[in-house]
Coordinates of all heavy atoms in Angstrom, one line a residue:
M1 N 49.7 175.9 -157.3 CA 48.4 175.3 -156.9 C 48.5 174.7 -155.5 O 49.5 174.0 -155.2 CB 48.0 174.2 -157.9 CG 46.6 173.8 -157.9 SD 46.2 172.7 -159.3 CE 46.1 173.8 -160.7
P2 N 47.6 174.9 -154.6 CA 47.7 174.5 -153.3 C 47.5 172.9 -153.2 O 46.8 172.3 -154.0 CB 46.6 175.2 -152.5 CG 45.6 175.6 -153.6 CD 46.4 175.8 -154.8
M3 N 48.2 172.4 -152.2 CA 48.1 171.0 -151.9 C 47.2 170.8 -150.7 O 47.3 171.5 -149.7 CB 49.5 170.4 -151.6 CG 50.6 170.8 -152.6 SD 50.6 169.6 -154.0 CE 51.5 168.3 -153.2
Y4 N 46.4 169.8 -150.8 CA 45.5 169.4 -149.7 C 45.7 168.0 -149.3 O 45.8 167.1 -150.1 CB 44.0 169.6 -150.1 CG 43.7 171.1 -150.5 CD1 43.7 171.5 -151.8 CD2 43.4 172.0 -149.5 CE1 43.4 172.8 -152.1 CE2 43.1 173.3 -149.8 CZ 43.1 173.7 -151.1 OH 42.8 175.0 -151.5
D5 N 45.8 167.8 -148.0 CA 46.0 166.4 -147.4 C 44.6 165.9 -147.1 O 43.8 166.5 -146.5 CB 46.9 166.5 -146.2 CG 48.3 166.8 -146.6 OD1 48.8 166.4 -147.6 OD2 48.9 167.5 -145.8
F6 N 44.4 164.6 -147.4 CA 43.2 163.9 -147.1 C 43.5 162.6 -146.5 O 44.5 162.0 -146.7 CB 42.3 163.7 -148.4 CG 41.9 165.0 -149.0 CD1 42.7 165.6 -150.0 CD2 40.7 165.6 -148.7 CE1 42.3 166.8 -150.5 CE2 40.3 166.8 -149.2 CZ 41.1 167.4 -150.2
Q7 N 42.5 162.1 -145.8 CA 42.5 160.7 -145.4 C 41.2 160.0 -145.8 O 40.1 160.5 -145.5 CB 42.8 160.5 -143.9 CG 42.9 159.1 -143.5 CD 43.5 158.9 -142.1 OE1 43.2 159.8 -141.2 NE2 44.2 157.9 -141.8
C8 N 41.3 158.8 -146.3 CA 40.2 158.1 -146.7 C 39.6 157.4 -145.5 O 40.3 156.7 -144.8 CB 40.5 157.0 -147.8 SG 39.2 156.0 -148.3
E9 N 38.3 157.5 -145.3 CA 37.7 156.9 -144.2 C 37.4 155.4 -144.4 O 37.1 154.6 -143.5 CB 36.3 157.6 -143.8 CG 36.5 159.1 -143.5 CD 36.9 159.3 -142.1 OE1 37.4 158.4 -141.4 OE2 36.7 160.4 -141.6
S10 N 37.5 155.0 -145.6 CA 37.2 153.6 -146.0 C 38.4 152.7 -145.8 O 38.3 151.7 -145.2 CB 36.6 153.5 -147.4 OG 35.4 154.2 -147.5
C11 N 39.5 153.2 -146.4 CA 40.7 152.3 -146.4 C 41.9 153.0 -145.6 O 43.0 152.5 -145.5 CB 41.2 152.0 -147.8 SG 41.9 153.4 -148.7
Q12 N 41.6 154.2 -145.0 CA 42.6 154.9 -144.1 C 43.8 155.4 -144.9 O 44.8 155.7 -144.2 CB 43.0 154.0 -142.9 CG 41.8 153.5 -142.1 CD 40.9 154.6 -141.6 OE1 41.4 155.6 -141.0 NE2 39.6 154.5 -141.8
L13 N 43.7 155.4 -146.2 CA 44.9 155.9 -146.9 C 45.0 157.4 -146.8 O 44.0 158.1 -146.9 CB 44.7 155.5 -148.4 CG 45.8 156.1 -149.3 CD1 47.1 155.2 -149.2 CD2 45.3 156.1 -150.8
S14 N 46.2 157.8 -146.5 CA 46.5 159.3 -146.5 C 47.0 159.6 -147.9 O 47.9 159.0 -148.4 CB 47.5 159.6 -145.4 OG 46.9 159.4 -144.2
F15 N 46.5 160.7 -148.4 CA 47.0 161.1 -149.8 C 46.9 162.6 -149.9 O 46.2 163.3 -149.1 CB 46.2 160.4 -150.9 CG 44.7 160.6 -150.8 CD1 44.1 161.6 -151.6 CD2 43.9 159.9 -150.0 CE1 42.7 161.8 -151.5 CE2 42.5 160.1 -149.9 CZ 41.9 161.1 -150.7
T16 N 47.6 163.1 -150.9 CA 47.6 164.6 -151.1 C 47.1 164.9 -152.5 O 47.5 164.2 -153.5 CB 49.1 165.1 -150.9 OG1 49.6 164.8 -149.6 CG2 49.1 166.6 -151.1
L17 N 46.3 165.8 -152.6 CA 45.8 166.3 -153.9 C 46.1 167.7 -154.2 O 46.2 168.5 -153.3 CB 44.2 166.1 -153.9 CG 43.6 164.7 -153.8 CD1 42.1 164.8 -153.8 CD2 44.1 163.8 -154.9
K18 N 46.5 167.9 -155.4 CA 46.8 169.3 -155.8 C 45.5 169.8 -156.5 O 45.1 169.3 -157.5 CB 47.9 169.3 -156.9 CG 48.8 170.4 -156.7 CD 49.9 170.4 -157.8 CE 51.1 169.5 -157.4 NZ 52.1 169.6 -158.5
L19 N 44.9 170.8 -155.8 CA 43.6 171.2 -156.3 C 43.5 172.7 -156.5 O 44.1 173.5 -155.7 CB 42.5 170.9 -155.3 CG 42.3 169.4 -155.0 CD1 41.4 169.3 -153.7 CD2 41.7 168.7 -156.1
S20 N 42.9 173.1 -157.5 CA 42.6 174.6 -157.7 C 41.5 174.9 -156.7 O 40.8 174.0 -156.2 CB 42.2 174.9 -159.1 OG 40.9 174.4 -159.4
F21 N 41.3 176.2 -156.4 CA 40.3 176.6 -155.5 C 38.9 176.2 -156.0 O 38.1 175.8 -155.2 CB 40.3 178.1 -155.3 CG 39.4 178.6 -154.2 CD1 39.6 178.3 -152.9 CD2 38.3 179.3 -154.5 CE1 38.8 178.7 -151.9 CE2 37.4 179.8 -153.6 CZ 37.6 179.5 -152.2
A22 N 38.7 176.3 -157.3 CA 37.4 175.9 -157.9 C 37.2 174.4 -157.6 O 36.1 174.0 -157.3 CB 37.4 176.2 -159.3
E23 N 38.2 173.6 -157.8 CA 38.0 172.1 -157.6 C 37.8 171.8 -156.2 O 37.0 171.0 -155.8 CB 39.3 171.4 -158.1 CG 39.5 171.3 -159.6 CD 40.8 170.8 -160.0 OE1 41.8 171.1 -159.4 OE2 40.8 170.0 -161.0
Y24 N 38.5 172.6 -155.3 CA 38.3 172.4 -153.9 C 36.9 172.8 -153.5 O 36.2 172.1 -152.6 CB 39.3 173.2 -153.1 CG 39.2 173.0 -151.6 CD1 39.6 171.8 -151.0 CD2 38.7 174.0 -150.8 CE1 39.6 171.7 -149.7 CE2 38.6 173.9 -149.4 CZ 39.1 172.7 -148.9 OH 39.0 172.5 -147.5
E25 N 36.4 173.8 -154.1 CA 35.0 174.3 -153.8 C 34.0 173.2 -154.2 O 33.0 173.1 -153.5 CB 34.7 175.6 -154.5 CG 35.3 176.8 -153.9 CD 34.4 177.4 -152.9 OE1 33.4 178.1 -153.3 OE2 34.6 177.3 -151.7
Q26 N 34.2 172.5 -155.2 CA 33.3 171.5 -155.7 C 33.2 170.3 -154.7 O 32.2 169.7 -154.5 CB 33.7 171.0 -157.1 CG 33.5 172.0 -158.2 CD 33.9 171.5 -159.5 OE1 34.4 170.4 -159.7 NE2 33.7 172.3 -160.5
G27 N 34.3 170.0 -154.1 CA 34.3 169.1 -153.0 C 34.1 167.6 -153.3 O 33.9 166.8 -152.5
N28 N 34.2 167.3 -154.6 CA 34.1 165.9 -154.9 C 35.5 165.2 -155.1 O 36.0 165.0 -156.1 CB 33.3 165.7 -156.2 CG 33.8 166.6 -157.4 OD1 34.7 167.5 -157.1 ND2 33.3 166.5 -158.5
F29 N 36.0 164.9 -153.9 CA 37.3 164.2 -153.9 C 37.1 162.7 -153.7 O 36.1 162.3 -153.1 CB 38.1 164.7 -152.7 CG 38.0 166.2 -152.4 CD1 37.4 166.6 -151.2 CD2 38.4 167.1 -153.4 CE1 37.3 168.0 -151.0 CE2 38.3 168.4 -153.2 CZ 37.7 168.9 -152.0
T30 N 37.9 162.0 -154.4 CA 37.8 160.5 -154.2 C 39.2 159.9 -153.9 O 40.2 160.5 -154.2 CB 37.4 159.9 -155.6 OG1 38.2 160.3 -156.6 CG2 35.9 160.3 -155.9
C31 N 39.2 158.9 -153.1 CA 40.4 158.2 -152.7 C 41.0 157.5 -154.0 O 40.4 156.9 -154.8 CB 40.0 157.1 -151.7 SG 41.4 156.0 -151.3
P32 N 42.3 157.8 -154.2 CA 43.0 157.2 -155.3 C 43.2 155.7 -155.3 O 43.4 155.0 -156.3 CB 44.4 157.9 -155.3 CG 44.6 158.3 -153.9 CD 43.2 158.6 -153.3
S33 N 43.0 155.1 -154.1 CA 43.1 153.7 -153.9 C 41.8 152.9 -154.1 O 41.7 152.1 -155.0 CB 43.7 153.4 -152.5 OG 43.8 152.0 -152.3
C34 N 40.8 153.3 -153.3 CA 39.5 152.6 -153.4 C 38.4 153.3 -154.0 O 37.3 152.8 -154.1 CB 39.1 152.1 -151.9 SG 38.6 153.5 -150.9
K35 N 38.7 154.5 -154.5 CA 37.7 155.4 -155.2 C 36.5 155.8 -154.4 O 35.5 156.2 -154.9 CB 37.2 154.6 -156.5 CG 38.3 154.1 -157.4 CD 39.2 155.2 -157.9 CE 40.3 154.5 -158.8 NZ 41.3 155.5 -159.1
S36 N 36.7 155.7 -153.1 CA 35.6 156.1 -152.2 C 35.6 157.6 -152.1 O 36.6 158.3 -152.2 CB 35.8 155.5 -150.8 OG 34.9 156.1 -149.9
S37 N 34.4 158.2 -152.0 CA 34.3 159.6 -151.8 C 34.2 160.0 -150.3 O 34.0 161.1 -150.0 CB 33.1 160.1 -152.6 OG 31.9 159.5 -152.1
N38 N 34.4 158.9 -149.5 CA 34.3 159.1 -148.1 C 35.7 159.5 -147.5 O 36.3 158.7 -146.9 CB 33.8 157.8 -147.4 CG 33.5 158.1 -145.9 OD1 33.4 159.2 -145.5 ND2 33.4 157.0 -145.2
V39 N 36.1 160.7 -147.9 CA 37.4 161.2 -147.5 C 37.2 162.5 -146.7 O 36.3 163.2 -146.8 CB 38.3 161.5 -148.7 CG1 38.6 160.2 -149.5 CG2 37.7 162.5 -149.6
R40 N 38.2 162.7 -145.8 CA 38.1 163.9 -145.0 C 39.4 164.7 -145.1 O 40.5 164.1 -145.3 CB 37.8 163.6 -143.6 CG 38.9 162.8 -142.8 CD 38.5 162.6 -141.4 NE 39.4 161.7 -140.7 CZ 40.5 162.2 -140.0 NH1 40.7 163.5 -140.0 NH2 41.3 161.3 -139.4
R41 N 39.3 166.0 -145.0 CA 40.5 166.8 -145.1 C 41.3 166.7 -143.8 O 40.8 166.6 -142.7 CB 40.0 168.3 -145.2 CG 41.0 169.3 -145.2 CD 41.6 169.5 -146.5 NE 42.8 170.3 -146.4 CZ 42.8 171.7 -146.3 NH1 41.7 172.3 -146.4 NH2 43.9 172.3 -146.2
V42 N 42.6 166.6 -144.0 CA 43.5 166.5 -142.9 C 44.3 167.8 -142.8 O 45.0 168.2 -143.8 CB 44.5 165.3 -143.0 CG1 45.5 165.3 -141.9 CG2 43.7 164.0 -143.0
I43 N 44.3 168.5 -141.7 CA 45.1 169.7 -141.5 C 46.4 169.3 -140.9 O 46.5 168.8 -139.8 CB 44.4 170.7 -140.6 CG1 43.0 170.9 -141.1 CG2 45.2 172.0 -140.5 CD1 42.9 171.6 -142.4
S44 N 47.5 169.5 -141.7 CA 48.8 169.1 -141.2 C 49.4 170.2 -140.4 O 49.3 171.4 -140.8 CB 49.7 168.8 -142.3 OG 51.0 168.5 -141.9
H45 N 49.9 169.9 -139.2 CA 50.5 170.9 -138.4 C 52.1 171.0 -138.5 O 52.7 171.9 -138.1 CB 50.2 170.6 -136.9 CG 48.8 170.7 -136.6 ND1 48.1 171.9 -136.5 CD2 47.8 169.8 -136.4 CE1 46.8 171.7 -136.2 NE2 46.6 170.4 -136.2
V46 N 52.6 170.0 -139.1 CA 54.1 169.9 -139.2 C 54.6 170.1 -140.6 O 55.8 170.5 -140.7 CB 54.6 168.6 -138.6 CG1 54.4 168.5 -137.1 CG2 54.0 167.4 -139.3
N47 N 53.8 169.9 -141.5 CA 54.3 169.9 -142.9 C 53.7 171.0 -143.8 O 53.3 170.8 -144.9 CB 54.1 168.5 -143.5 CG 55.0 168.4 -144.8 OD1 56.0 169.1 -145.0 ND2 54.6 167.5 -145.7
V48 N 53.5 172.1 -143.2 CA 52.9 173.2 -143.9 C 54.0 174.0 -144.6 O 54.8 174.7 -144.0 CB 52.1 174.1 -143.0 CG1 51.5 175.3 -143.7 CG2 51.0 173.3 -142.3
R49 N 53.9 174.0 -145.9 CA 54.9 174.8 -146.7 C 54.1 175.6 -147.7 O 53.8 175.2 -148.8 CB 55.9 173.8 -147.4 CG 56.8 173.1 -146.5 CD 57.7 172.1 -147.2 NE 58.5 171.3 -146.3 CZ 59.2 170.3 -146.7 NH1 59.3 170.0 -148.0 NH2 59.9 169.6 -145.8
T50 N 53.8 176.8 -147.3 CA 53.0 177.6 -148.1 C 53.8 178.6 -149.0 O 53.4 179.1 -150.0 CB 52.0 178.4 -147.3 OG1 52.7 179.1 -146.3 CG2 50.9 177.5 -146.7
S51 N 55.0 178.8 -148.5 CA 55.9 179.8 -149.2 C 57.2 179.1 -149.6 O 57.7 178.3 -148.8 CB 56.1 181.0 -148.4 OG 56.8 180.7 -147.2
R52 N 57.7 179.4 -150.7 CA 59.0 178.9 -151.1 C 59.9 180.0 -151.3 O 59.8 180.8 -152.2 CB 58.9 178.1 -152.4 CG 58.2 176.8 -152.3 CD 58.2 176.0 -153.6 NE 57.6 174.7 -153.5 CZ 57.4 173.9 -154.6 NH1 57.9 174.3 -155.8 NH2 56.8 172.8 -154.5
K53 N 60.9 180.1 -150.4 CA 61.9 181.1 -150.5 C 63.2 180.4 -150.5 O 63.7 179.9 -149.6 CB 61.8 182.1 -149.3 CG 60.5 182.9 -149.2 CD 60.5 183.8 -148.0 CE 59.2 184.6 -147.9 NZ 59.1 185.3 -146.7
S54 N 63.8 180.5 -151.7 CA 65.1 179.8 -151.8 C 66.2 180.8 -152.1 O 65.9 181.8 -152.7 CB 65.0 178.7 -152.9 OG 64.6 179.3 -154.1
Ligands
ZN1 ZN1 40.3 154.6 -149.8

């Protein structure tokens, strides 16, 4: 399941959610700290790990 990084616009908390594509499509994300829905997607440039090859 893909991980998505978000930042809360209300309390500035950065958090990561594990969402299915369907959940992501619904777009109703809430901050785990203040429960605000005023969150935005953060695109990480340094911590992208899409493939696991061990
Ligand atoms: Zn918050």
Side-chain angles (χ1 to χ4, degrees):
M1 201 173 282
M3 309 273 285
Y4 298 96
D5 292 323
F6 296 90
Q7 184 169 29
C8 177
E9 300 279 19
S10 296
C11 70
Q12 306 304 312
L13 177 75
S14 295
F15 57 98
T16 302
L17 296 178
K18 216 184 277 187
L19 300 169
S20 68
F21 186 70
E23 287 173 319
Y24 182 72
E25 282 272 285
Q26 289 178 359
N28 49 353
F29 320 118
T30 54
C31 173
S33 177
C34 69
K35 310 301 183 189
S36 171
S37 58
N38 188 17
V39 298
R40 65 179 174 89
R41 176 83 191 279
V42 176
I43 308 297
S44 175
H45 296 285
V46 291
N47 195 23
V48 178
R49 294 178 186 172
T50 53
S51 62
R52 285 185 182 178
K53 294 177 181 177
S54 58

